[in-house]
Amino acid sequence: MEAGAGDGARALLRILRDLPGGLRAEELLAPHTTFRIGGRAFALYEPPTEDALAEAVVRARSHGFPWRMLGGGSKLLIPDRGFPGLVLSTAGLRSWHEEGEFLRVGAGVPLARVARRGAWALAGIPGTVGGAVAMNAGTRHGSIAEQVVWVQALLPTGRVHTFSPAECGFTYRDSLFRRLRLPVLAVGLRLQPCQDLAPFLRERAKSQPLGLPSAGCVFRNPPDGRSAGWLIDQCGLKGARIGDAVVSEHHANFICNLGHARASDVLELVDRVQDTVVSEFGVWLKLELEVVGE
Ligand code: EPU
């Protein structure tokens, strides 16, 4: 943690300490990500309600502290120097109300629970519902946007707005919430009839390196229909390694952490992959992974 971080953490604690829920100073973020990489935040706050989350964002903003949301930490690369501000975890927002084929869930509900209840196309995707909506998570079988009835998110004014599917601005692995950094609070979903998820989970386990820490697919598939994994594989980059960050032998669009990878190792490897693929195929691979601070 950099000089002055202690002061920043103390100042944040002062402005948030009367709010309900867990508040921890100088929290190491690596354990909160599936990559197991990243330094400390000034503070990590886990609001137990949507109102508490909104209040914390308003206060961080008015005191000029950077802030960001943290769901399952599954598509995130946190810098080694950490995050000089407030990280808000959605882990406490786990409400669940079902009515027939309609489900209303809090942003912190694990996506796997929703997939089991009636979203088979999302089987095997890690993370939370809020994160999945923000990045329009999906597989070859479909994306969460196809089941969204509405999304409640926090506006910069501190008001909560209910967005219709058309207002959500969903595109491939993206949404208005990600583009404008609007925290997703709750989501209404249309459930599909239950289906056996085992074949989807088996398919994923066969083709992806699920045993090692990673952030899932690092790059978006290019719009020409080719797979980023295939392009990287064709360049002979499987096994390319910087420090403890390695391009998976299992699926070339995964970078795995062999134990002590640093964010800087991952970023160097990302550069190498992008440079090689553009010189071999003329395709610039865009990041699907969110690099905090970029
Ligand atoms: N391929 C290779 N070498 C590799 C990886 C893939 O030749 O190292 C080939 C495969 O053989 C296949 C083609 O590329 O012919 C596509 O591969 P795959 O079926 O694994 O699909 P993908 O496009 O690489 C997408 C999603 C995955 C999702 C799978 C399955 C993106 C960027 N990736 O991968 O999502 O799990 O489909 O539905 O859209 C993620 O978002 O984190 C993720 C892993």
Side-chain angles (χ1 to χ4, degrees):
M1 184 137 253
E2 289 168 352
D7 293 344
R10 275 191 292 279
L12 253 179
L13 288 197
R14 260 196 308 278
I15 64 169
L16 300 175
R17 69 181 159 207
D18 61 314
L19 294 179
L23 176 63
R24 291 195 291 271
E26 300 190 7
E27 178 78 355
L28 189 63
L29 296 176
H32 296 280
T33 71
T34 58
F35 232 151
R36 300 282 183 263
I37 293 175
R40 293 176 191 277
F42 279 7
L44 177 84
Y45 175 45
E46 192 179 304
T49 63
E50 294 164 10
D51 286 348
L53 189 153
E55 181 60 26
V57 170
V58 167
R59 291 187 193 181
R61 235 190 221 124
S62 72
H63 286 80
F65 282 104
W67 59 275
R68 59 157 299 118
M69 301 300 298
L70 176 74
S74 59
K75 268 294 176 210
L76 215 53
L77 182 65
I78 293 175
D80 302 312
R81 65 178 181 279
F83 181 73
L86 174 63
V87 173
L88 293 129
S89 162
T90 57
L93 306 181
R94 295 209 178 184
S95 59
W96 179 290
H97 300 287
E98 262 182 73
E99 232 183 284
E101 288 173 2
F102 176 76
L103 174 66
R104 180 208 191 274
V105 277
V109 167
L111 193 62
R113 251 186 93 190
V114 173
R116 277 198 302 277
R117 183 61 197 86
W120 56 268
L122 308 177
I125 303 180
T128 58
V129 172
V133 164
M135 64 158 301
N136 190 14
T139 64
R140 174 152 24 86
H141 306 289
S143 64
I144 196 165
E146 290 154 39
Q147 290 182 252
V148 163
V149 179
W150 51 254
V151 175
Q152 280 179 349
L154 190 64
L155 300 177
T157 57
R159 260 193 337 109
V160 175
H161 181 72
T162 303
F163 291 76
S164 69
E167 287 176 314
C168 293
F170 287 122
T171 54
Y172 170 66
R173 301 291 183 271
D174 204 6
S175 75
L176 180 84
F177 310 107
R178 177 143 133 162
R179 290 192 289 276
L180 299 186
R181 291 197 343 117
L182 305 180
V184 172
L185 302 176
V187 183
L189 293 166
R190 193 177 315 99
L191 295 171
Q192 297 165 334
C194 282
Q195 194 164 337
D196 181 13
L197 300 189
F200 300 103
L201 297 175
R202 266 201 304 274
E203 179 194 319
R204 199 171 169 105
K206 223 167 48 197
S207 64
Q208 298 180 3
L210 304 183
L212 283 172
S214 80
C217 284
V218 172
F219 301 99
R220 295 163 193 232
N221 284 338
D224 65 11
R226 283 184 291 186
S227 146
W230 181 85
L231 291 166
I232 301 166
D233 193 356
Q234 292 302 303
C235 293
L237 285 164
K238 278 184 169 176
R241 179 171 173 178
I242 293 177
D244 262 357
V246 66
V247 175
S248 168
E249 297 276 2
H250 221 106
H251 193 300
N253 198 3
F254 281 65
I255 290 179
C256 293
N257 177 0
L258 295 176
H260 299 96
R262 299 172 58 80
S264 53
D265 300 331
V266 174
L267 291 173
E268 221 179 293
L269 200 49
V270 161
D271 283 348
R272 189 195 289 182
V273 168
Q274 284 173 320
D275 288 350
T276 311
V277 172
V278 81
S279 66
E280 299 265 329
F281 287 101
V283 174
W284 182 254
L285 292 179
K286 286 194 184 158
L287 276 180
E288 175 164 317
L289 175 70
E290 185 188 348
V291 181
V292 172
E294 291 274 295

